[in-house]
Amino acid sequence: MAAEAMKTVRLVAEAAAGVPDREVPRRVCAAVCEGLGMGGATLSLLTDTPSRQLLAATNDDALLLEETQFTVLEGPCIEAAQTGEPVALDDLWRDLTPWPLFGAEVRQKLPQVRSVYGFPLFFGDYVLGSVDLLAYDAHALDAEGLEEAAAVANAVTVALMPTREMLLTGSDAPSWEPEEVVRAHWYDTSRAVGTLAARRGVAPEDALALLRAEAFRTGRSLADITADVLRDPPRTP
């Protein structure tokens, strides 16, 4: 392992040492971004689509990148989690992406972002989530850089392992920043999925699809549609 990757692995381990579980994702995410010299980073839990949850984002661009993938249900973060393989988009300005909705949305909303990379987080043989990295330069990671970033993603898994009970079954949420934005876009969406599923008598996956369809139809954000569902009182028979 190269010296820079080893340094980042140490940063990740130090970020998770001796802090409350709910602080670990945010601190680890910041360490990954700093150590690899990227423009932004996110950590996401991807156990299944309705329960998908952002764990941490280092800045507004990273937050918007993750929100875009959550809304269109495609992109490097999701691909990495589904395939268990690293995903590289080296030049968003020049290259076509395998995901037409994601490509169009991210070019419009984040024209300053040139490259995006996704790495799976393995817990044993099971992919629990993924790390997303963004950069403002094309080809920010070469072949060696991809290998180093994958090694750092393995270190992230080790750092998150002690928090797995909180992440999967606990009642405490991670320490998000900015808390109100992330809660509105992820935690409240999960609540809205449950509400709509019960109201319509459909499966959670179908309820989430209805929310996304309404967002596309109206051009509004998924967070706005979520807020409408949660504000709307249950209908009486």
Side-chain angles (χ1 to χ4, degrees):
M1 188 185 304
E4 286 300 314
M6 292 179 64
K7 176 183 175 182
T8 305
V9 167
R10 287 196 299 270
L11 284 175
V12 168
E14 291 168 359
V19 298
D21 286 355
R22 66 189 306 268
E23 293 283 343
V24 170
R26 179 177 61 84
R27 289 171 59 91
V28 165
C29 191
V32 169
C33 189
E34 176 188 349
L36 293 176
M38 303 300 288
T42 67
L43 300 181
S44 294
L45 183 70
L46 295 166
T47 50
D48 57 62
T49 298
S51 298
R52 184 176 176 197
Q53 177 179 301
L54 179 72
L55 300 179
T58 56
N59 55 32
D60 290 344
D61 287 348
L63 186 64
L64 183 53
L65 176 70
E66 190 61 20
E67 180 191 358
T68 299
Q69 294 183 86
F70 182 60
T71 301
V72 302
L73 196 57
E74 62 182 27
C77 182
I78 295 172
E79 183 80 6
Q82 289 177 339
T83 65
E85 298 289 339
V87 177
L89 296 178
D90 287 316
D91 194 340
L92 281 163
W93 292 4
R94 294 174 179 265
D95 301 335
L96 291 176
T97 72
W99 317 284
L101 293 176
F102 170 80
E105 287 287 304
V106 79
R107 289 186 186 101
Q108 177 183 1
K109 295 179 178 179
L110 291 166
Q112 69 276 27
V113 173
R114 289 292 300 271
S115 51
V116 179
Y117 304 92
F119 299 89
L121 296 176
F122 281 98
F123 280 60
D125 294 330
Y126 180 69
V127 179
L128 180 64
S130 61
V131 180
D132 253 14
L133 305 173
L134 67 85
Y136 302 113
D137 298 318
H139 298 274
L141 295 176
D142 57 16
E144 183 179 356
L146 284 171
E147 290 183 5
E148 293 176 356
V152 171
N154 290 336
V156 169
T157 298
V158 173
L160 291 179
M161 189 67 75
T163 73
R164 63 189 181 279
E165 184 175 348
M166 177 199 74
L167 297 179
L168 294 174
T169 62
S171 58
D172 290 337
S175 181
W176 288 312
E177 286 188 5
E179 181 176 358
E180 66 279 2
V181 175
V182 178
R183 184 171 293 275
H185 288 225
W186 276 270
Y187 180 77
D188 286 351
T189 296
S190 179
R191 291 173 55 214
V193 165
T195 298
L196 191 61
R199 187 179 296 169
R200 297 285 186 90
V202 298
E205 292 83 357
D206 295 329
L208 182 57
L210 289 172
L211 293 177
R212 285 195 171 101
E214 183 67 8
F216 280 118
R217 185 185 70 81
T218 61
R220 300 167 67 207
S221 72
L222 190 59
D224 289 339
I225 304 301
T226 289
D228 287 349
V229 171
L230 295 178
R231 276 196 300 265
D232 187 19
R235 297 176 177 84
T236 55

